[in-house]
Amino acid sequence: MRLVAVDIGGTHARFALAEVADGRVASLGDPLTLKTADFASLQTAWEAFAASAGPLPRAAAIAIASPVGGELIKLTNNPWIIRPALIGERLHVDRHVLINDFGAVAHAAAQLDAGDFIHLAGPDAPLPARGSITVCGPGTGLGVAQILRTGHGYHVIETEGGHVDFAPLDTVEDALLKRLRTAYTRVSAERICSGPGIIAIYESLAAIEGRAVPRLDDKAIWAMALEGSDSLALAALDRFCLSLGAVAGDLALAQGAKGVVVAGGLGLRLKDHLTRSGFAERFAAKGRFRALMEAIPVKLITHPQPGLFGAAAAFAQEHG
C-alpha cells in the first residue's frame, strides 16, 4: 500500500512517498523538505508536495513535534495549527495516522535493519528480539520513548522521560546544576542533554575557569565544538557526552531496558564523538548495577530520515 509520510518540526516539514506491506515499511522515497515559515498550513505544504510528486495516495502518516491529542494542535516555533478531525477532509485521505515525532522515531528503531545502527556501548550484539528497549534522542529537547517487543510484534510507548530530574555526578555538574537553578526551580535532564543545553555547559565551564565569554547561541557553540576550533566548546562537548551517557543509563534502569537506542539529528551529528567519549563509561556507572548495564547493547540510529520512516512504520502497524 502506498501512502504519504510526513515529518513536521518547528522549522521544516518533510514529505515522502512510502510503501508498506505486512505491517512493515517496504520502501521510502526521496524526501522533499519545506520550510514551515514559507507555508500557511499543513494543507498548503501538502499541495506543494503534490505539485512535485504528482497525484498522491489517499493515505497519510503524519509525525508532529507536539503532543498529539485534543481538538487543536499548535506547534512550538511553527505557525501551523492542525485540527486532527479535519485531516481527512483537508488532505483528501481516507486513512491516516497522527503520531508524536519521537513516537515515530521509536517505530523506526523497532523496524529498521541492523545496518541502520552503529554500536555505542555494551556488547556489540543486535537489539533484543523480546523485552524493553529505551529510545532517547537529544535535539531541541530530549525525546524519550520505549519499545516493548513481544513474541507477536512490538508496542511503542511515548513518554516525557526527558523531564526527569538531572542528577549531577561530580563537582563540575554540581556547578552546572547550581547555575541552572538560578533560572529554573527544577532542573530536568532536558536542560542539559539537548541542543540548547550546550549553552549552560559552556558558560558553567567558563565560570569555573574565571573566563569572560561572549553570550553565544547554541548553534555557534556546537559549530565551534564540532570543528574543534575552541577548546572550551570542545570541553563542553565532552561534558555533554558524559551527561547524555548518564541520563541514558538512568532511563534504561527505569524502563527495565534490554537494549538502548540513541536517535535524533543531534545524536547523528555526534556519531564520531560519542564513540570516543566517556558516554559508555557513564552509561554503565550505576554502582551495584554496573554488570547489568555493561550487558545492555547501546546503538545509534544512522538512518537519515527516521521520522519519515517511523511515521510510515506506525501506519503499517496500525493498518496492517
Side-chain angles (χ1 to χ4, degrees):
M1 178 179 181
R2 295 174 71 244
L3 60 99
V4 180
V6 188
D7 182 15
I8 305 170
T11 305
H12 295 101
R14 296 172 176 84
F15 296 79
L17 295 174
E19 187 89 24
V20 298
D22 300 322
R24 301 188 67 84
V25 180
S27 66
L28 181 70
D30 293 333
L32 175 68
T33 301
L34 303 175
K35 290 186 177 180
T36 55
D38 292 342
F39 295 90
S41 67
L42 169 59
Q43 182 180 0
T44 59
W46 176 279
E47 290 167 354
F49 177 61
S52 67
L56 300 181
R58 296 184 64 88
I62 303 169
I64 182 170
S66 174
V68 174
E71 296 181 358
L72 185 146
I73 298 172
K74 176 68 177 73
L75 285 81
T76 304
N77 301 322
N78 182 329
W80 296 356
I81 293 174
I82 296 174
R83 294 178 174 83
L86 297 180
I87 286 177
E89 175 187 338
R90 297 283 174 87
L91 303 186
H92 306 292
V93 294
D94 301 316
R95 288 191 286 180
H96 73 273
V97 165
L98 187 63
I99 187 171
N100 168 266
D101 61 337
F102 212 77
V105 170
H107 275 280
Q111 290 204 18
L112 284 169
D113 296 328
D116 291 306
F117 300 88
I118 63 169
H119 177 67
L120 285 184
D124 191 358
L127 291 168
R130 289 174 177 262
S132 172
I133 299 172
T134 293
V135 185
C136 59
T140 304
L142 176 62
V144 179
Q146 184 178 18
I147 303 166
L148 180 61
R149 280 181 164 166
T150 69
H152 306 287
Y154 72 90
H155 302 280
V156 166
I157 303 166
E158 298 174 21
T159 83
E160 293 297 336
H163 298 283
V164 299
D165 292 337
F166 176 68
L169 295 175
D170 58 25
T171 56
V172 172
E173 290 176 355
D174 287 340
L176 174 59
L177 181 61
K178 183 177 180 181
R179 182 180 187 86
L180 284 168
R181 275 190 179 144
T182 64
Y184 311 103
T185 304
R186 176 181 174 274
V187 179
S188 67
E190 183 175 83
R191 298 293 184 190
I192 293 89
C193 297
S194 64
I198 198 73
I199 298 173
I201 299 174
Y202 181 78
E203 293 179 350
S204 294
L205 295 178
I208 289 172
E209 294 192 358
R211 290 198 203 186
V213 293
R215 179 70 179 179
L216 300 172
D217 63 18
D218 56 304
K219 291 182 180 179
I221 298 171
W222 279 116
M224 293 189 303
L226 294 172
E227 292 166 1
S229 61
D230 181 274
S231 59
L232 193 64
L234 197 55
L237 168 58
D238 290 339
R239 178 59 56 174
F240 181 92
C241 292
L242 289 173
S243 296
L244 181 61
V247 170
D250 288 344
L251 293 169
L253 277 176
Q255 295 184 351
K258 305 298 183 185
V260 172
V261 173
V262 177
L266 180 55
L268 186 56
R269 290 177 66 196
L270 296 179
K271 173 170 63 76
D272 295 333
H273 295 274
L274 286 171
T275 55
R276 296 183 285 110
S277 72
F279 174 94
E281 168 58 28
R282 274 292 190 89
F283 178 86
K286 302 301 176 187
R288 73 192 80 172
F289 293 100
R290 173 178 283 275
L292 173 69
M293 302 304 292
E294 289 177 338
I296 298 175
V298 184
K299 309 290 185 182
L300 174 70
I301 289 181
T302 57
H303 191 283
Q305 298 293 342
L308 287 173
F309 187 99
F315 183 97
Q317 188 191 56
E318 180 166 328
H319 294 287

